[in-house]
Structures are given as structure tokens and as C-alpha cells.
Amino acid sequence: MPAPQRVEVGDGVGLATYSWGDPDGPVVLLVHGFASSARDNWVLTGWVRMLEKAGYRILAVDQRGHGASEKPHDAEGYTVRTLASDIESVLDTFLIDTAFYLGYSLGARVGWQVARNLGERIPRAVLGGVPDGTPLARLDIEQVRRYIADGTPVTDGPTKNYIALTERVPGNDLEALLALARGMRASRSIDPDPSTAPTQPVLFATGSEDAVIEGSRRLAEAAPQARFLEIPGRHHFNAPGSRVFREAALEFLQEA
């Protein structure tokens, strides 16, 4: 990993960003999933190595609450629109006019909004493991609160999985990620909303064993220039490591 470069976004939160590749190459922006990081989602799985070899300039972000970025505990700072605004601030800071967007899970939810907000500035996007519906709806927030407060055991299955995912990555702050879940669920709205699909070419990719696959298909069907890739034999947490996913994404980006 290169040393992170700090970018301060609109509300003063500092984000860690990382750069690789040809400084004159087309830019690919990488945005990771919930409870992950740029290193965990994109470096350890071979994406950065592949994109660098293909001649791209790669810019990756640790989203607020993750990795080496600041981790506020205020839920109001974690709406999807705030997270999308963070990405726009990163592009502005690096004076990047256009970039391909590659996001997974939470990063794909944010990418849907970024693609809508920035239009032609994002000529193509790859959105992996993105469901429709209310963000993080299966997380039992009260059980997480009790677990943080006094170690009360978590009995809800999906919530156990979220906590295990969070504790797997060194440096994660469970209280910050709880704030993120609360902030994203506060509007009680569907996000992404199929009725507001981005209009640029988008590759949707989801594992065949992922519980969100049908929601991902619905989003792909709603987007006018979308295609859908079912990643064989993969679930939500191991799909980023799929060679099939990596190669399909690279082929899609090279069509531009």
C-alpha cells in the first residue's frame, strides 16, 4: 500500500486516498464495501494489480468510517448523498474531470448516486453486489448497541455476520459503522431506487450465491444502458476476489 493522501471533505472529515498506475492513463476510481477498505476490497483481491497492468491511473478511497479515514460517530454524517458528495470532493481535489467508477456493496450503492449526480463525468460504472431496498435493513441496530455497550451476545444471524465482517478488518470502529447503518436507514426510503437509474453504461455484477442477486437484477433491468453479470459460485463476501468478475469488469471498461 502507498502512503495515504488525506482529502478533507465538506464537513471537515478527513478521507484517506491512494494512487497507483500511469498518471496520464484513464482514471478508475475504486470505492469499497461496508466494513471493508481500499486495501481489503481492491488490493488483496488483485484489482489494483490488474488495472495497473492495463495502463490505468487508479485512485482508491477509504470511505468515511473505514480504513485510515476519520470515523465520526454522528449518524447524520452517513447518508448516501453525503457519501456520494465525499466522492465528488475527492475527484475535485485531484482535478479529475472524468473517471470510471468501480464500487462494491456499499461502494456500489454510493456509485449509483455518484453516477446520477455527475452524469458524463462518470462515463462508465461497475456496480458489484448492490441490492435494491432499504440500506442495511437486516441489521438489528438494538442488538449492536447492546453488544457495544456491555458485550451482550448477538442472537440475530445477519447481525452476527455484519459484526464478524466488521471485526475481521483491523482498525474498524464498530460504533462508527453502527452510526453509518443508522444514517443510511434514517430516510426509510428505497436506495437505490429503480425509478432513478443512471443513464450511462453500467455493469452490474453479483455472485450466484448472494442473497441480493435478484435485487441486483432488478436494478440492472431498470438502467437503460446496463448489463448483468452473475458471478458463478460466489457469495457477497468473496465475490470481489473472483477472476471472472475482474476480467469482465476490465473488458467492460476497455469498451469505452
Side-chain angles (χ1 to χ4, degrees), residues 75-95:
E76 293 182 0
Y78 288 104
T79 68
V80 172
R81 283 155 186 77
T82 298
L83 297 174
S85 177
D86 287 350
I87 299 304
E88 184 175 3
S89 294
V90 169
L91 293 176
D92 290 344
T93 298
F94 283 92
L95 304 178

Side-chain angles (χ1 to χ4, degrees), residues 119-164:
E120 294 181 357
R121 197 172 177 188
I122 307 294
R124 282 179 177 251
V126 178
L127 304 182
V130 57
D132 58 4
T134 304
L136 298 170
R138 300 177 68 194
L139 184 70
D140 188 321
I141 285 178
E142 290 308 314
Q143 288 202 25
V144 178
R145 281 181 171 145
R146 292 194 295 270
Y147 177 78
I148 292 172
D150 57 18
T152 299
V154 173
T155 57
D156 176 66
T159 302
K160 276 185 179 180
N161 291 337
Y162 278 119
I163 290 175

Side-chain angles (χ1 to χ4, degrees), residues 25-129:
V27 178
V28 180
L29 176 64
L30 307 180
V31 186
H32 63 79
F34 176 79
S36 188
S37 67
R39 176 180 182 272
D40 191 60
N41 213 145
W42 307 117
V43 177
L44 299 182
T45 54
W47 286 88
V48 168
R49 181 172 61 251
M50 176 193 73
L51 292 167
E52 191 170 15
K53 185 177 180 180
Y56 289 95
R57 176 186 175 188
I58 304 123
L59 178 62
V61 181
D62 283 340
Q63 297 198 75
R64 62 172 63 206
H66 297 79
S69 292
E70 292 183 7
K71 301 175 175 67
H73 292 174
D74 181 0
E76 293 182 0
Y78 288 104
T79 68
V80 172
R81 283 155 186 77
T82 298
L83 297 174
S85 177
D86 287 350
I87 299 304
E88 184 175 3
S89 294
V90 169
L91 293 176
D92 290 344
T93 298
F94 283 92
L95 304 178
I96 293 172
D97 293 327
T98 61
F100 298 127
Y101 186 101
L102 177 51
Y104 190 76
S105 192
L106 171 63
R109 283 191 183 273
V110 173
W112 177 283
Q113 188 67 39
V114 169
R116 292 190 62 241
N117 289 352
L118 300 188
E120 294 181 357
R121 197 172 177 188
I122 307 294
R124 282 179 177 251
V126 178
L127 304 182

Side-chain angles (χ1 to χ4, degrees), residues 140-224:
D140 188 321
I141 285 178
E142 290 308 314
Q143 288 202 25
V144 178
R145 281 181 171 145
R146 292 194 295 270
Y147 177 78
I148 292 172
D150 57 18
T152 299
V154 173
T155 57
D156 176 66
T159 302
K160 276 185 179 180
N161 291 337
Y162 278 119
I163 290 175
L165 179 66
T166 300
E167 295 180 337
R168 178 183 61 86
V169 179
N172 270 347
D173 179 337
L174 186 55
E175 196 161 343
L177 295 174
L178 174 62
L180 185 152
R182 291 171 50 225
M184 294 189 69
R185 286 168 51 166
S187 69
R188 300 185 183 277
S189 61
I190 295 172
D191 197 335
D193 183 345
S195 69
T196 60
T199 58
Q200 56 269 75
V202 180
L203 173 65
F204 291 83
T206 303
S208 60
E209 308 304 316
D210 193 333
V212 308
I213 188 168
E214 293 309 318
S216 296
R217 288 188 197 277
R218 285 191 290 270
L219 293 176
E221 290 167 0

